[in-house]
mmCIF file of all heavy atoms in Angstrom:
data_model
loop_
_atom_site.group_PDB
_atom_site.id
_atom_site.type_symbol
_atom_site.label_atom_id
_atom_site.label_comp_id
_atom_site.label_asym_id
_atom_site.label_seq_id
_atom_site.Cartn_x
_atom_site.Cartn_y
_atom_site.Cartn_z
ATOM 1 N N MET H 225 -109.131 63.141 -7.436
ATOM 2 C CA MET H 225 -108.115 63.444 -6.619
ATOM 3 C C MET H 225 -106.716 63.090 -7.152
ATOM 4 O O MET H 225 -106.510 62.046 -7.707
ATOM 5 C CB MET H 225 -108.224 62.717 -5.223
ATOM 6 C CG MET H 225 -107.271 63.146 -4.104
ATOM 7 S SD MET H 225 -107.807 62.518 -2.632
ATOM 8 C CE MET H 225 -106.491 61.443 -2.272
ATOM 9 N N PRO H 226 -105.756 63.984 -7.161
ATOM 10 C CA PRO H 226 -104.459 63.728 -7.647
ATOM 11 C C PRO H 226 -103.845 62.381 -7.062
ATOM 12 O O PRO H 226 -103.991 62.276 -5.855
ATOM 13 C CB PRO H 226 -103.590 64.895 -7.347
ATOM 14 C CG PRO H 226 -104.566 66.023 -6.896
ATOM 15 C CD PRO H 226 -105.840 65.366 -6.491
ATOM 16 N N ASP H 227 -103.035 61.656 -7.707
ATOM 17 C CA ASP H 227 -102.269 60.581 -7.157
ATOM 18 C C ASP H 227 -101.001 60.979 -6.617
ATOM 19 O O ASP H 227 -99.882 60.993 -7.245
ATOM 20 C CB ASP H 227 -102.136 59.454 -8.274
ATOM 21 C CG ASP H 227 -101.497 58.249 -7.868
ATOM 22 O OD1 ASP H 227 -101.229 58.155 -6.621
ATOM 23 O OD2 ASP H 227 -101.207 57.328 -8.714
ATOM 24 N N TYR H 228 -100.916 61.467 -5.392
ATOM 25 C CA TYR H 228 -99.714 62.191 -4.824
ATOM 26 C C TYR H 228 -98.646 61.024 -4.591
ATOM 27 O O TYR H 228 -97.406 61.303 -4.789
ATOM 28 C CB TYR H 228 -100.085 62.663 -3.415
ATOM 29 C CG TYR H 228 -100.853 63.951 -3.549
ATOM 30 C CD1 TYR H 228 -102.201 64.004 -3.153
ATOM 31 C CD2 TYR H 228 -100.261 65.125 -4.055
ATOM 32 C CE1 TYR H 228 -103.027 65.162 -3.252
ATOM 33 C CE2 TYR H 228 -101.047 66.210 -4.143
ATOM 34 C CZ TYR H 228 -102.367 66.290 -3.816
ATOM 35 O OH TYR H 228 -103.129 67.362 -3.880
ATOM 36 N N LYS H 229 -99.002 59.767 -4.360
ATOM 37 C CA LYS H 229 -97.999 58.768 -4.166
ATOM 38 C C LYS H 229 -97.309 58.408 -5.486
ATOM 39 O O LYS H 229 -96.027 58.484 -5.470
ATOM 40 C CB LYS H 229 -98.645 57.409 -3.850
ATOM 41 C CG LYS H 229 -97.758 56.247 -3.534
ATOM 42 C CD LYS H 229 -98.505 55.013 -2.971
ATOM 43 C CE LYS H 229 -97.432 53.955 -2.618
ATOM 44 N NZ LYS H 229 -98.009 52.825 -2.027
ATOM 45 N N SER H 230 -97.869 58.491 -6.525
ATOM 46 C CA SER H 230 -97.371 58.293 -7.913
ATOM 47 C C SER H 230 -96.535 59.631 -8.196
ATOM 48 O O SER H 230 -95.339 59.386 -8.718
ATOM 49 C CB SER H 230 -98.404 58.184 -8.989
ATOM 50 O OG SER H 230 -97.799 58.115 -10.239
ATOM 51 N N MET H 231 -96.895 60.770 -7.964
ATOM 52 C CA MET H 231 -96.143 62.084 -8.189
ATOM 53 C C MET H 231 -94.942 61.985 -7.424
ATOM 54 O O MET H 231 -93.772 62.298 -7.755
ATOM 55 C CB MET H 231 -97.051 63.157 -7.839
ATOM 56 C CG MET H 231 -98.046 63.415 -8.929
ATOM 57 S SD MET H 231 -98.875 65.018 -8.779
ATOM 58 C CE MET H 231 -99.600 64.853 -7.222
ATOM 59 N N TYR H 232 -94.932 61.494 -6.076
ATOM 60 C CA TYR H 232 -93.900 61.526 -5.251
ATOM 61 C C TYR H 232 -92.736 60.660 -5.618
ATOM 62 O O TYR H 232 -91.656 60.870 -5.710
ATOM 63 C CB TYR H 232 -94.291 61.071 -3.734
ATOM 64 C CG TYR H 232 -93.153 60.852 -2.881
ATOM 65 C CD1 TYR H 232 -92.472 61.871 -2.138
ATOM 66 C CD2 TYR H 232 -92.649 59.538 -2.659
ATOM 67 C CE1 TYR H 232 -91.499 61.634 -1.405
ATOM 68 C CE2 TYR H 232 -91.582 59.328 -1.767
ATOM 69 C CZ TYR H 232 -90.910 60.400 -1.223
ATOM 70 O OH TYR H 232 -89.835 60.134 -0.461
ATOM 71 N N PHE H 233 -93.219 59.392 -6.163
ATOM 72 C CA PHE H 233 -92.280 58.277 -6.571
ATOM 73 C C PHE H 233 -91.626 58.875 -7.857
ATOM 74 O O PHE H 233 -90.283 58.616 -7.990
ATOM 75 C CB PHE H 233 -92.925 56.962 -6.739
ATOM 76 C CG PHE H 233 -93.039 56.281 -5.408
ATOM 77 C CD1 PHE H 233 -94.393 55.942 -5.154
ATOM 78 C CD2 PHE H 233 -92.009 56.039 -4.640
ATOM 79 C CE1 PHE H 233 -94.604 55.149 -3.943
ATOM 80 C CE2 PHE H 233 -92.304 55.370 -3.454
ATOM 81 C CZ PHE H 233 -93.532 54.926 -3.074
ATOM 82 N N LYS H 234 -92.237 59.477 -8.691
ATOM 83 C CA LYS H 234 -91.762 59.932 -9.914
ATOM 84 C C LYS H 234 -90.651 61.103 -9.640
ATOM 85 O O LYS H 234 -89.511 61.111 -10.193
ATOM 86 C CB LYS H 234 -92.727 60.581 -10.845
ATOM 87 C CG LYS H 234 -92.208 61.001 -12.213
ATOM 88 C CD LYS H 234 -93.378 61.416 -13.131
ATOM 89 C CE LYS H 234 -92.838 61.777 -14.444
ATOM 90 N NZ LYS H 234 -93.809 62.037 -15.472
ATOM 91 N N LEU H 235 -91.074 61.993 -8.644
ATOM 92 C CA LEU H 235 -90.101 63.069 -8.249
ATOM 93 C C LEU H 235 -88.933 62.479 -7.617
ATOM 94 O O LEU H 235 -87.746 62.798 -7.892
ATOM 95 C CB LEU H 235 -90.767 63.995 -7.346
ATOM 96 C CG LEU H 235 -89.979 65.131 -6.694
ATOM 97 C CD1 LEU H 235 -89.377 65.991 -7.749
ATOM 98 C CD2 LEU H 235 -90.678 65.845 -5.799
ATOM 99 N N PHE H 236 -89.049 61.491 -6.776
ATOM 100 C CA PHE H 236 -87.976 60.854 -6.045
ATOM 101 C C PHE H 236 -86.938 60.159 -7.032
ATOM 102 O O PHE H 236 -85.804 60.334 -6.888
ATOM 103 C CB PHE H 236 -88.535 59.758 -5.025
ATOM 104 C CG PHE H 236 -87.449 59.030 -4.272
ATOM 105 C CD1 PHE H 236 -86.806 59.637 -3.114
ATOM 106 C CD2 PHE H 236 -87.036 57.798 -4.694
ATOM 107 C CE1 PHE H 236 -85.868 58.934 -2.424
ATOM 108 C CE2 PHE H 236 -86.099 57.112 -3.997
ATOM 109 C CZ PHE H 236 -85.445 57.634 -2.930
ATOM 110 N N ASN H 237 -87.553 59.327 -7.856
ATOM 111 C CA ASN H 237 -86.800 58.748 -9.012
ATOM 112 C C ASN H 237 -85.949 59.669 -9.810
ATOM 113 O O ASN H 237 -84.797 59.431 -10.187
ATOM 114 C CB ASN H 237 -87.617 57.776 -9.792
ATOM 115 C CG ASN H 237 -88.146 56.585 -8.984
ATOM 116 O OD1 ASN H 237 -87.426 56.134 -8.148
ATOM 117 N ND2 ASN H 237 -89.227 56.063 -9.403
ATOM 118 N N SER H 238 -86.610 60.815 -10.188
ATOM 119 C CA SER H 238 -85.932 61.877 -11.091
ATOM 120 C C SER H 238 -84.628 62.467 -10.256
ATOM 121 O O SER H 238 -83.840 62.799 -10.725
ATOM 122 C CB SER H 238 -87.002 62.925 -11.522
ATOM 123 O OG SER H 238 -87.798 62.375 -12.361
ATOM 124 N N ILE H 239 -85.134 62.786 -8.891
ATOM 125 C CA ILE H 239 -83.987 63.428 -8.113
ATOM 126 C C ILE H 239 -82.819 62.321 -7.938
ATOM 127 O O ILE H 239 -81.560 62.839 -8.090
ATOM 128 C CB ILE H 239 -84.557 63.835 -6.651
ATOM 129 C CG1 ILE H 239 -85.487 64.975 -6.890
ATOM 130 C CG2 ILE H 239 -83.480 64.070 -5.626
ATOM 131 C CD1 ILE H 239 -86.340 65.243 -5.648
ATOM 132 N N THR H 240 -83.125 61.158 -7.656
ATOM 133 C CA THR H 240 -82.080 60.102 -7.586
ATOM 134 C C THR H 240 -81.316 59.942 -8.781
ATOM 135 O O THR H 240 -80.005 59.990 -8.826
ATOM 136 C CB THR H 240 -82.757 58.768 -7.178
ATOM 137 O OG1 THR H 240 -83.462 58.773 -6.139
ATOM 138 C CG2 THR H 240 -81.676 57.701 -7.055
ATOM 139 N N ASP H 241 -81.915 59.984 -10.001
ATOM 140 C CA ASP H 241 -81.197 60.030 -11.248
ATOM 141 C C ASP H 241 -80.219 61.215 -11.390
ATOM 142 O O ASP H 241 -79.085 61.083 -11.866
ATOM 143 C CB ASP H 241 -82.118 59.998 -12.428
ATOM 144 C CG ASP H 241 -82.930 58.630 -12.553
ATOM 145 O OD1 ASP H 241 -82.518 57.533 -11.960
ATOM 146 O OD2 ASP H 241 -83.921 58.634 -13.286
ATOM 147 N N ALA H 242 -80.795 62.367 -11.100
ATOM 148 C CA ALA H 242 -79.991 63.577 -11.198
ATOM 149 C C ALA H 242 -78.798 63.484 -10.286
ATOM 150 O O ALA H 242 -77.612 63.945 -10.677
ATOM 151 C CB ALA H 242 -80.902 64.811 -10.771
ATOM 152 N N MET H 243 -78.936 63.046 -9.068
ATOM 153 C CA MET H 243 -77.820 62.876 -8.067
ATOM 154 C C MET H 243 -76.754 61.949 -8.704
ATOM 155 O O MET H 243 -75.476 62.258 -8.537
ATOM 156 C CB MET H 243 -78.295 62.445 -6.758
ATOM 157 C CG MET H 243 -79.125 63.422 -6.037
ATOM 158 S SD MET H 243 -79.932 62.769 -4.489
ATOM 159 C CE MET H 243 -78.482 62.236 -3.641
ATOM 160 N N GLU H 244 -77.184 60.853 -9.296
ATOM 161 C CA GLU H 244 -76.230 59.918 -9.859
ATOM 162 C C GLU H 244 -75.439 60.626 -11.080
ATOM 163 O O GLU H 244 -74.290 60.343 -11.091
ATOM 164 C CB GLU H 244 -77.008 58.663 -10.402
ATOM 165 C CG GLU H 244 -77.391 57.709 -9.276
ATOM 166 C CD GLU H 244 -78.288 56.645 -9.736
ATOM 167 O OE1 GLU H 244 -78.140 56.278 -10.895
ATOM 168 O OE2 GLU H 244 -78.948 55.959 -8.881
ATOM 169 N N ILE H 245 -76.156 61.331 -11.898
ATOM 170 C CA ILE H 245 -75.542 62.020 -13.011
ATOM 171 C C ILE H 245 -74.518 63.014 -12.472
ATOM 172 O O ILE H 245 -73.328 63.142 -12.979
ATOM 173 C CB ILE H 245 -76.520 62.744 -13.775
ATOM 174 C CG1 ILE H 245 -77.446 61.659 -14.591
ATOM 175 C CG2 ILE H 245 -75.877 63.772 -14.884
ATOM 176 C CD1 ILE H 245 -78.574 62.312 -15.261
ATOM 177 N N LEU H 246 -74.805 63.722 -11.438
ATOM 178 C CA LEU H 246 -73.920 64.753 -10.833
ATOM 179 C C LEU H 246 -72.669 64.043 -10.243
ATOM 180 O O LEU H 246 -71.581 64.470 -10.328
ATOM 181 C CB LEU H 246 -74.545 65.518 -9.788
ATOM 182 C CG LEU H 246 -75.638 66.488 -10.381
ATOM 183 C CD1 LEU H 246 -76.443 67.187 -9.280
ATOM 184 C CD2 LEU H 246 -75.026 67.667 -11.256
ATOM 185 N N SER H 247 -72.929 62.890 -9.546
ATOM 186 C CA SER H 247 -71.882 62.132 -8.941
ATOM 187 C C SER H 247 -70.857 61.670 -10.021
ATOM 188 O O SER H 247 -69.771 61.692 -9.729
ATOM 189 C CB SER H 247 -72.394 61.061 -8.112
ATOM 190 O OG SER H 247 -71.310 60.320 -7.514
ATOM 191 N N GLU H 248 -71.314 61.016 -11.055
ATOM 192 C CA GLU H 248 -70.609 60.652 -12.143
ATOM 193 C C GLU H 248 -69.799 61.947 -12.876
ATOM 194 O O GLU H 248 -68.644 61.627 -13.186
ATOM 195 C CB GLU H 248 -71.355 59.893 -13.250
ATOM 196 C CG GLU H 248 -71.945 58.626 -12.769
ATOM 197 C CD GLU H 248 -70.762 57.735 -12.382
ATOM 198 O OE1 GLU H 248 -69.719 57.548 -13.119
ATOM 199 O OE2 GLU H 248 -70.924 56.897 -11.375
ATOM 200 N N ALA H 249 -70.353 62.937 -12.924
ATOM 201 C CA ALA H 249 -69.717 64.085 -13.636
ATOM 202 C C ALA H 249 -68.540 64.546 -12.617
ATOM 203 O O ALA H 249 -67.510 65.001 -13.087
ATOM 204 C CB ALA H 249 -70.657 65.384 -13.737
ATOM 205 N N GLN H 250 -68.715 64.520 -11.294
ATOM 206 C CA GLN H 250 -67.674 64.981 -10.309
ATOM 207 C C GLN H 250 -66.606 64.028 -10.446
ATOM 208 O O GLN H 250 -65.420 64.353 -10.529
ATOM 209 C CB GLN H 250 -68.284 64.979 -8.994
ATOM 210 C CG GLN H 250 -67.222 65.418 -7.860
ATOM 211 C CD GLN H 250 -67.844 65.399 -6.536
ATOM 212 O OE1 GLN H 250 -69.064 65.110 -6.254
ATOM 213 N NE2 GLN H 250 -66.985 65.825 -5.624
ATOM 214 N N LYS H 251 -66.916 62.680 -10.463
ATOM 215 C CA LYS H 251 -65.769 61.678 -10.524
ATOM 216 C C LYS H 251 -64.960 61.912 -11.736
ATOM 217 O O LYS H 251 -63.727 61.776 -11.790
ATOM 218 C CB LYS H 251 -66.472 60.227 -10.466
ATOM 219 C CG LYS H 251 -66.944 59.859 -9.169
ATOM 220 C CD LYS H 251 -67.571 58.479 -9.317
ATOM 221 C CE LYS H 251 -68.283 58.084 -7.917
ATOM 222 N NZ LYS H 251 -69.003 56.792 -8.107
ATOM 223 N N SER H 252 -65.667 62.126 -12.946
ATOM 224 C CA SER H 252 -65.018 62.275 -14.212
ATOM 225 C C SER H 252 -64.195 63.508 -14.133
ATOM 226 O O SER H 252 -62.968 63.500 -14.674
ATOM 227 C CB SER H 252 -66.084 62.439 -15.325
ATOM 228 O OG SER H 252 -65.412 62.771 -16.455
ATOM 229 N N ALA H 253 -64.607 64.638 -13.590
ATOM 230 C CA ALA H 253 -63.740 65.797 -13.478
ATOM 231 C C ALA H 253 -62.604 65.633 -12.582
ATOM 232 O O ALA H 253 -61.461 66.172 -12.799
ATOM 233 C CB ALA H 253 -64.645 66.937 -13.001
ATOM 234 N N GLU H 254 -62.801 64.936 -11.463
ATOM 235 C CA GLU H 254 -61.660 64.621 -10.540
ATOM 236 C C GLU H 254 -60.625 63.845 -11.271
ATOM 237 O O GLU H 254 -59.470 63.932 -11.088
ATOM 238 C CB GLU H 254 -62.155 63.890 -9.214
ATOM 239 C CG GLU H 254 -63.076 64.841 -8.445
ATOM 240 C CD GLU H 254 -63.631 64.119 -7.311
ATOM 241 O OE1 GLU H 254 -63.512 62.850 -7.246
ATOM 242 O OE2 GLU H 254 -64.122 64.796 -6.426
ATOM 243 N N GLU H 255 -61.018 62.730 -12.015
ATOM 244 C CA GLU H 255 -60.052 61.939 -12.808
ATOM 245 C C GLU H 255 -59.362 62.713 -13.701
ATOM 246 O O GLU H 255 -58.106 62.547 -13.923
ATOM 247 C CB GLU H 255 -60.736 60.659 -13.323
ATOM 248 C CG GLU H 255 -61.244 59.577 -12.379
ATOM 249 C CD GLU H 255 -62.167 58.673 -12.953
ATOM 250 O OE1 GLU H 255 -62.476 58.737 -14.172
ATOM 251 O OE2 GLU H 255 -62.624 57.782 -12.208
ATOM 252 N N ALA H 256 -60.008 63.649 -14.500
ATOM 253 C CA ALA H 256 -59.423 64.445 -15.471
ATOM 254 C C ALA H 256 -58.353 65.298 -14.825
ATOM 255 O O ALA H 256 -57.220 65.599 -15.412
ATOM 256 C CB ALA H 256 -60.487 65.258 -16.280
ATOM 257 N N TYR H 257 -58.653 65.926 -13.744
ATOM 258 C CA TYR H 257 -57.671 66.800 -12.923
ATOM 259 C C TYR H 257 -56.543 66.009 -12.585
ATOM 260 O O TYR H 257 -55.366 66.533 -12.754
ATOM 261 C CB TYR H 257 -58.409 67.475 -11.727
ATOM 262 C CG TYR H 257 -57.539 68.259 -10.940
ATOM 263 C CD1 TYR H 257 -57.327 69.522 -11.340
ATOM 264 C CD2 TYR H 257 -57.039 67.883 -9.793
ATOM 265 C CE1 TYR H 257 -56.419 70.398 -10.556
ATOM 266 C CE2 TYR H 257 -56.145 68.452 -9.062
ATOM 267 C CZ TYR H 257 -55.911 69.841 -9.324
ATOM 268 O OH TYR H 257 -55.139 70.659 -8.603
ATOM 269 N N ILE H 258 -56.827 64.808 -11.987
ATOM 270 C CA ILE H 258 -55.629 64.189 -11.507
ATOM 271 C C ILE H 258 -54.673 63.726 -12.705
ATOM 272 O O ILE H 258 -53.404 63.657 -12.533
ATOM 273 C CB ILE H 258 -56.062 62.845 -10.592
ATOM 274 C CG1 ILE H 258 -56.569 63.335 -9.332
ATOM 275 C CG2 ILE H 258 -55.000 61.776 -10.415
ATOM 276 C CD1 ILE H 258 -57.345 62.258 -8.658
ATOM 277 N N SER H 259 -55.330 63.264 -13.841
ATOM 278 C CA SER H 259 -54.601 62.771 -15.023
ATOM 279 C C SER H 259 -53.813 64.068 -15.460
ATOM 280 O O SER H 259 -52.540 63.858 -15.890
ATOM 281 C CB SER H 259 -55.773 62.326 -16.098
ATOM 282 O OG SER H 259 -54.811 62.031 -17.174
ATOM 283 N N ALA H 260 -54.353 65.165 -15.608
ATOM 284 C CA ALA H 260 -53.646 66.408 -16.094
ATOM 285 C C ALA H 260 -52.551 66.723 -15.131
ATOM 286 O O ALA H 260 -51.489 67.147 -15.690
ATOM 287 C CB ALA H 260 -54.598 67.489 -16.268
ATOM 288 N N GLU H 261 -52.741 66.607 -13.897
ATOM 289 C CA GLU H 261 -51.671 66.957 -12.846
ATOM 290 C C GLU H 261 -50.579 65.973 -13.044
ATOM 291 O O GLU H 261 -49.394 66.216 -12.885
ATOM 292 C CB GLU H 261 -52.265 66.869 -11.456
ATOM 293 C CG GLU H 261 -51.457 67.434 -10.402
ATOM 294 C CD GLU H 261 -52.134 67.469 -9.043
ATOM 295 O OE1 GLU H 261 -52.406 66.401 -8.546
ATOM 296 O OE2 GLU H 261 -52.454 68.549 -8.627
ATOM 297 N N ASN H 262 -50.835 64.626 -13.198
ATOM 298 C CA ASN H 262 -49.733 63.565 -13.392
ATOM 299 C C ASN H 262 -48.918 63.908 -14.725
ATOM 300 O O ASN H 262 -47.752 63.739 -14.758
ATOM 301 C CB ASN H 262 -50.355 62.295 -13.413
ATOM 302 C CG ASN H 262 -50.879 61.834 -12.016
ATOM 303 O OD1 ASN H 262 -50.420 62.268 -11.132
ATOM 304 N ND2 ASN H 262 -51.761 60.883 -12.015
ATOM 305 N N GLU H 263 -49.661 64.371 -15.787
ATOM 306 C CA GLU H 263 -48.968 64.728 -17.031
ATOM 307 C C GLU H 263 -47.935 65.833 -16.833
ATOM 308 O O GLU H 263 -46.925 65.852 -17.396
ATOM 309 C CB GLU H 263 -50.042 65.046 -18.061
ATOM 310 C CG GLU H 263 -50.732 63.759 -18.597
ATOM 311 C CD GLU H 263 -51.802 64.077 -19.579
ATOM 312 O OE1 GLU H 263 -51.801 65.299 -20.094
ATOM 313 O OE2 GLU H 263 -52.592 63.246 -20.103
ATOM 314 N N GLU H 264 -48.381 66.842 -16.054
ATOM 315 C CA GLU H 264 -47.508 67.966 -15.902
ATOM 316 C C GLU H 264 -46.348 67.569 -15.050
ATOM 317 O O GLU H 264 -45.224 67.999 -15.194
ATOM 318 C CB GLU H 264 -48.330 68.956 -15.016
ATOM 319 C CG GLU H 264 -49.079 69.903 -15.832
ATOM 320 C CD GLU H 264 -49.812 71.033 -14.949
ATOM 321 O OE1 GLU H 264 -49.192 71.462 -13.968
ATOM 322 O OE2 GLU H 264 -50.815 71.513 -15.374
ATOM 323 N N ASP H 265 -46.425 66.672 -14.151
ATOM 324 C CA ASP H 265 -45.373 66.158 -13.348
ATOM 325 C C ASP H 265 -44.273 65.506 -14.155
ATOM 326 O O ASP H 265 -43.063 65.527 -13.988
ATOM 327 C CB ASP H 265 -45.830 65.283 -12.259
ATOM 328 C CG ASP H 265 -46.547 65.920 -11.167
ATOM 329 O OD1 ASP H 265 -46.505 67.117 -10.981
ATOM 330 O OD2 ASP H 265 -47.267 65.202 -10.355
ATOM 331 N N THR H 266 -44.708 64.675 -15.167
ATOM 332 C CA THR H 266 -43.709 63.954 -16.025
ATOM 333 C C THR H 266 -43.008 64.902 -16.995
ATOM 334 O O THR H 266 -41.982 64.753 -17.445
ATOM 335 C CB THR H 266 -44.460 62.882 -16.778
ATOM 336 O OG1 THR H 266 -45.574 63.319 -17.528
ATOM 337 C CG2 THR H 266 -44.904 61.767 -15.841
ATOM 338 N N LYS H 267 -43.805 66.054 -17.413
ATOM 339 C CA LYS H 267 -43.279 66.945 -18.263
ATOM 340 C C LYS H 267 -42.244 67.854 -17.655
ATOM 341 O O LYS H 267 -41.276 68.272 -18.206
ATOM 342 C CB LYS H 267 -44.319 67.905 -18.846
ATOM 343 C CG LYS H 267 -45.276 67.057 -19.832
ATOM 344 C CD LYS H 267 -46.345 68.066 -20.449
ATOM 345 C CE LYS H 267 -47.346 67.341 -21.429
ATOM 346 N NZ LYS H 267 -48.356 68.262 -21.811
ATOM 347 N N ASN H 268 -42.470 68.181 -16.349
ATOM 348 C CA ASN H 268 -41.498 69.125 -15.679
ATOM 349 C C ASN H 268 -41.138 68.517 -14.330
ATOM 350 O O ASN H 268 -41.658 68.915 -13.196
ATOM 351 C CB ASN H 268 -42.279 70.499 -15.382
ATOM 352 C CG ASN H 268 -42.848 71.157 -16.655
ATOM 353 O OD1 ASN H 268 -42.089 71.297 -17.639
ATOM 354 N ND2 ASN H 268 -43.996 71.652 -16.600
ATOM 355 N N PRO H 269 -40.306 67.519 -14.399
ATOM 356 C CA PRO H 269 -39.988 66.883 -13.218
ATOM 357 C C PRO H 269 -39.048 67.804 -12.361
ATOM 358 O O PRO H 269 -38.375 68.636 -12.803
ATOM 359 C CB PRO H 269 -39.057 65.662 -13.659
ATOM 360 C CG PRO H 269 -38.584 65.990 -15.048
ATOM 361 C CD PRO H 269 -39.738 67.014 -15.530
ATOM 362 N N ILE H 270 -39.096 67.703 -11.027
ATOM 363 C CA ILE H 270 -38.366 68.621 -10.145
ATOM 364 C C ILE H 270 -36.947 67.928 -9.941
ATOM 365 O O ILE H 270 -36.964 66.670 -9.656
ATOM 366 C CB ILE H 270 -39.068 68.669 -8.803
ATOM 367 C CG1 ILE H 270 -40.375 69.458 -8.919
ATOM 368 C CG2 ILE H 270 -38.151 69.433 -7.769
ATOM 369 C CD1 ILE H 270 -41.138 69.413 -7.714
ATOM 370 N N ILE H 271 -35.955 68.600 -10.222
ATOM 371 C CA ILE H 271 -34.656 68.117 -10.121
ATOM 372 C C ILE H 271 -33.904 68.455 -8.816
ATOM 373 O O ILE H 271 -33.968 69.541 -8.222
ATOM 374 C CB ILE H 271 -33.648 68.428 -11.357
ATOM 375 C CG1 ILE H 271 -34.361 68.085 -12.633
ATOM 376 C CG2 ILE H 271 -32.335 68.124 -11.123
ATOM 377 C CD1 ILE H 271 -33.687 68.572 -13.876
#
């Protein structure tokens, strides 16, 4: 008989890892966007 409990925990842990990777990627992209936006503001200040 397959060990469903073990398979479930392996799947759960893999999904959790994937969610953490995606969350970190989103944070990194948001920080890059904000940083680029701030650089544009200093290059082209509104007078």
